[in-house]
Structure formats: structure tokens, C-alpha cells
Amino acid sequence: MENQEKLALTIQKEMIQFNLKRMRTVAWTMMYISAIITIIHYGEVFFSKTERAMVPAYIAIHTILFYLDLAVLLFVREKKIKVTSLNFRKYKSILLAYIYTILILITVITLMDVYFFKHAVLYEVLFLLICTIFSISFLETFLIMLITVLPILISAYLSVGISGESIRIFLPMSLIIPIGLIIQRHTYKIQKQITKQQILLQVEMTKTKNLSKLLTEKNNELSEQAFRDTLTNLPNRRAFNHKLTQIGQQLSKPKSLSVMMIDLDFFKKLNDYYGHLQGDEALIKVAALLDEIAEKYNAFVARWGGEEFVIVSQHAAKFSEHVCEEILEEVRHLNIRHEHSEVANIVTVSIGMCHAKISNSEQLKICCELADQALYTAKQNGRNNFYSKSGNFDEMYVSL
């Protein structure tokens, strides 16, 4: 029920918005008609001597109509109109007031025109125009028709009785007014249905858009999860391989690159003695540290697998060596207890690094293999240090 009421209110607002735009069209038309008729009245060409006495009054009413339409065009701007739940009744009142005012003014002219009611034609044209252009309810249209048409017919009957002149008034009105009401009823019904369908379509489009957005977000989350290590929240091995592919595709000229393989020393003994929960805690702390260092130097870090991590950095060889030294020092500063380590009583790491100028994807793979070999050498040389290999296979050992 609440949804139905909300839909009905939305339809009303859209119909008012539609009619306000049409009101500007009618205002332009009426300004043109008022201007032409005023010019004709000033000329007094089509009036007999007895009719000319009413010309000033006709001109005054058409002038009022002209400025009324001008006010509509100045103050009712399409881009500035925003019909809401709070103001739609106000705009509806303005719309009906405009329609009623112009019809009543034309009715006044018609009643003043005691000389064969020539202005009745203008009333008929205007009534038909309103029924064709505006989409208002049948009851509202019928009410204004009663207020304006009945006085014209009664006045015509009292003035000329049943005669040829009165028939010339009654006959067109008896045809045009019902036709106008039929057109108006049909127009209102169709426009209301069109508005309803547009609103429902917009609602469905919004739902589809939101659903598509939600689906995209969920897919992104799944993709992110697929490329994330669940324990450390670092990019995983798959993400690292994807990164290498990206780097290889972007190689248009040789690029200086360092690959660092990092391994926690005697991690199996840490797990065996302290348990897997403590082992996982050590991995999480080291991963967080590596993530900070990688962010600091604009590098890419990932969990290679088990207790191994990898960092890819686009820096010179000497700077990469400095990063390796910083990693070794900062890991020791974590002060993670490891009494069964053979190099210290805290957790330490060994690092294998390869630095080279990479020109293609194959050289990138070779650099990763060299970094892995360098890590093996660092372990053989006592751990808690780093060992570097260059792309030209010149080896350098650094002992700490």
C-alpha cells in the first residue's frame, strides 16, 4: 500500500512537471493571439460604430492576458522548476490558476461582446487548445467548463433568444466543448499511463544499475581475495605472477629492476617449538613490516609461499642493497623471540637479491630465478644476511 501511494504521488509530481512545461507553450501562443487581437482592436477596422464603444475594454483584457503570459514565461523556467513532495500542491495551484484565469478573462470578453458574441470563437479555440495541450483531470476541466460556458450560453439566450444568431453560438459550442472534453479525458489517461510506465521503467533501471554496481563490487572483492594471501593480507603468488606479466608487457626499453627473495630463518623450528599460532603471528608481523618498507620505497611485495616473501623494486643496485640492509635490521628490531634459531634468539631473515637491466619477460624470469639462487647462497653462508646476483651473473656477497 505504501509503495502504491508513493507511486501515485510520483505520478502526480511528474504530471505537474509536464503541465508546467506545456504552460509555457500556451503562454507563447496566448501572447501571440493577444498581440494580434490588440492590434486589430486598435485599428477598429472590423467593428461597426456601435461596437467600437467596447474596444477599450477588449484591449485592456487582452493586455492583461499578454502580461499574464509574459509573467509565466519569465518566472516559470523549465530548468529552474523542480517539483517535489513539498511544493507540488503549490505548482498545481499555479497551473490551475493560470488555466482558470485565461478562460475566465476570455469568458468576460465574450459576455461583454453583446454584438452577436463574436468572441465566442476565441473561447472555443482556447478551450480546445487547453484540452489538447494540458493533462489535467476530467473533473478539473469539467468544473472550469461549467463556470465559463454556462454564463456564455445563458447570456446569449437572454440577449438574442432562440434565433439564427444564437444557433450560430450554440451549435459550435455543442460540438466543440464535448469534443474538447473527450480529447482531454483521453489525453490525460494516456499521459498518466505513459508517466507511470516511465517511472516504473526508471525504478527498474535504477534497480538494475544498483544491482550491476553491487555485482561489480562483489566481483572486485572476489578478484581482490583471489590475489590476496588470507593470513598476511599481502598479495599472493598469483598476484606476484600477474605483476610480473604487467611489467613484462610495459617494457618498451631496458628497465632497472631488483627482485628480493626473503625467507624467515629456521621457521620450521619456530613452528615446532612455539606452535603454529605463534608461527602465524611471526609471519603477520614480518609481512606488515615488509608492506611498510615496500610502500615507503614504492615497491611491490607479495607472499611467495610458506615463510618466503618477495619484493620487486625499480631502483639502482646500491639502493636495493640499502633496502636489503634495512629489512634485515628492522626484522631484528621486531624482537620476535626464537630460542631455537641457530643464528640468534630472535627471528631473523635471509635475503637473496638479483639486480639487472630488464629488456624482456624472459630476462625478468631469469632475474627471479637468480634471486632464488642468491637466497639459497645467503642461507649457506650463515643466514641473517643478504646475497646479491646481477643480471650479468657477477656475484657479490655481503656479510653482516
Side-chain angles (χ1 to χ4, degrees):
M1 183 63 70
E2 186 180 347
N3 289 337
Q4 290 297 324
E5 291 176 357
K6 187 177 179 181
L7 177 61
L9 180 61
T10 306
I11 291 172
Q12 285 189 58
K13 291 190 292 184
E14 290 300 320
M15 293 285 282
I16 292 169
Q17 186 89 29
F18 172 82
N19 283 321
L20 288 173
K21 293 178 181 179
R22 292 298 183 93
M23 187 166 71
R24 288 179 56 84
T25 303
V26 173
W28 278 112
T29 306
M30 287 300 300
M31 279 185 66
Y32 173 75
I33 292 173
S34 296
I36 295 299
I37 292 177
T38 301
I39 293 171
I40 292 173
H41 280 83
Y42 268 116
E44 299 184 352
V45 177
F46 302 100
F47 300 97
S48 62
K49 224 178 232 189
T50 51
E51 291 174 316
R52 290 174 187 172
M54 302 302 299
V55 168
Y58 299 155
I59 292 175
I61 292 175
H62 280 293
T63 302
I64 293 171
L65 281 170
F66 181 87
Y67 284 109
L68 174 65
D69 295 316
L70 182 61
V72 167
L73 294 173
L74 289 175
F75 297 107
V76 182
R77 302 287 184 88
E78 287 185 34
K79 293 182 179 179
K80 292 185 178 180
I81 296 171
K82 183 62 178 178
V83 180
T84 65
S85 302
L86 299 175
N87 65 18
F88 83 97
R89 294 186 187 280
K90 180 188 76 173
Y91 278 120
K92 185 176 182 180
S93 299
I94 292 172
L95 174 68
L96 292 176
Y98 173 73
I99 294 172
Y100 282 27
T101 300
I102 59 176
L103 276 175
I104 288 171
L105 287 174
I106 296 299
T107 301
V108 170
I109 293 177
T110 306
L111 294 175
M112 290 170 58
D113 184 9
V114 294
Y115 301 102
F116 308 119
F117 294 82
K118 296 184 180 69
H119 282 87
V121 176
L122 180 59
Y123 175 89
E124 292 160 3
V125 171
L126 182 58
F127 183 81
L128 199 59
L129 182 68
I130 288 170
C131 290
T132 305
I133 291 182
F134 289 113
S135 291
I136 57 177
S137 69
F138 180 80
L139 182 62
E140 290 164 342
T141 309
F142 188 74
L143 180 61
I144 187 60
M145 184 272 293
L146 287 178
I147 294 173
T148 54
V149 172
L150 285 179
I152 294 174
L153 296 177
I154 292 170
S155 179
Y157 175 76
L158 293 176
S159 298
V160 295
I162 302 297
S163 64
E165 293 298 330
S166 62
I167 291 173
R168 287 169 59 186
I169 299 170
F170 297 147
L171 185 59
M173 280 199 168
S174 64
L175 293 173
I176 292 174
I177 300 303
I179 290 172
L181 289 173
I182 292 170
I183 291 173
Q184 187 279 329
R185 183 181 176 86
H186 184 67
T187 302
Y188 178 75
K189 185 177 179 181
I190 290 178
Q191 187 57 43
K192 188 175 181 180
Q193 186 64 28
I194 291 172
T195 303
K196 181 180 179 181
Q197 293 299 324
Q198 288 176 339
I199 292 169
L200 292 175
L201 179 61
Q202 186 64 39
V203 169
E204 289 302 318
M205 288 176 64
T206 302
K207 286 181 180 178
T208 303
K209 186 177 179 181
N210 291 338
L211 187 61
S212 177
K213 183 179 178 182
L214 181 62
L215 186 61
T216 301
E217 289 174 356
K218 291 297 181 183
N219 284 335
N220 289 338
E221 287 178 12
L222 289 173
S223 298
E224 184 70 18
Q225 290 173 7
F227 283 91
R228 284 279 166 185
D229 175 57
T230 54
L231 178 64
T232 62
N233 201 36
L234 287 180
N236 57 20
R237 181 75 170 268
R238 181 186 294 179
F240 176 74
N241 292 333
H242 181 70
K243 181 68 175 179
L244 291 186
T245 302
Q246 281 185 326
I247 294 172
Q249 290 173 346
Q250 295 169 358
L251 286 173
S252 56
K253 59 182 181 180
K255 182 179 292 186
S256 181
L257 201 77
S258 294
V259 178
M260 304 170 201
M261 292 288 185
I262 304 154
D263 183 82
L264 272 67
D265 295 328
F266 302 105
F267 183 73
K268 187 177 183 303
K269 291 185 177 183
L270 178 71
N271 264 342
D272 292 343
Y273 183 75
Y274 293 100
H276 288 281
L277 290 178
Q278 291 283 26
D280 289 347
E281 187 66 26
L283 285 172
I284 291 169
K285 288 181 179 180
V286 172
L289 173 65
L290 294 177
D291 193 31
E292 287 179 12
I293 293 174
E295 186 177 0
K296 178 181 175 182
Y297 296 114
N298 195 26
F300 178 82
V301 61
R303 186 180 181 188
W304 182 259
E307 68 273 21
E308 288 190 62
F309 301 89
V310 59
I311 292 178
V312 180
S313 172
Q314 296 181 26
H315 292 101
K318 287 293 182 184
F319 188 83
S320 297
E321 291 173 7
H322 164 74
V323 174
C324 290
E325 291 172 352
E326 183 176 344
I327 292 171
L328 292 170
E329 184 179 355
E330 292 297 328
V331 170
R332 289 194 291 266
H333 284 168
L334 289 175
N335 202 27
I336 303 171
R337 192 165 184 78
H338 189 0
E339 294 179 358
H340 287 259
S341 172
E342 297 179 16
V343 292
N345 61 355
I346 57 174
V347 169
T348 59
V349 294
S350 299
I351 305 173
M353 186 189 78
C354 174
H355 178 81
K357 281 211 176 257
I358 305 298
S359 301
N360 52 60
S361 299
E362 190 61 33
Q363 289 179 355
L364 188 56
K365 291 178 183 178
I366 293 173
C367 189
C368 291
E369 292 172 1
L370 289 173
D372 198 42
Q373 292 173 17
L375 174 61
Y376 179 75
T377 304
K379 289 180 179 181
Q380 284 185 322
N381 289 327
R383 303 177 190 260
N384 191 23
N385 57 39
F386 78 89
Y387 188 83
S388 176
K389 280 192 174 185
S390 63
N392 58 10
F393 307 110
D394 291 335
E395 299 184 0
M396 175 181 63
Y397 172 69
V398 178
S399 180
L400 299 177

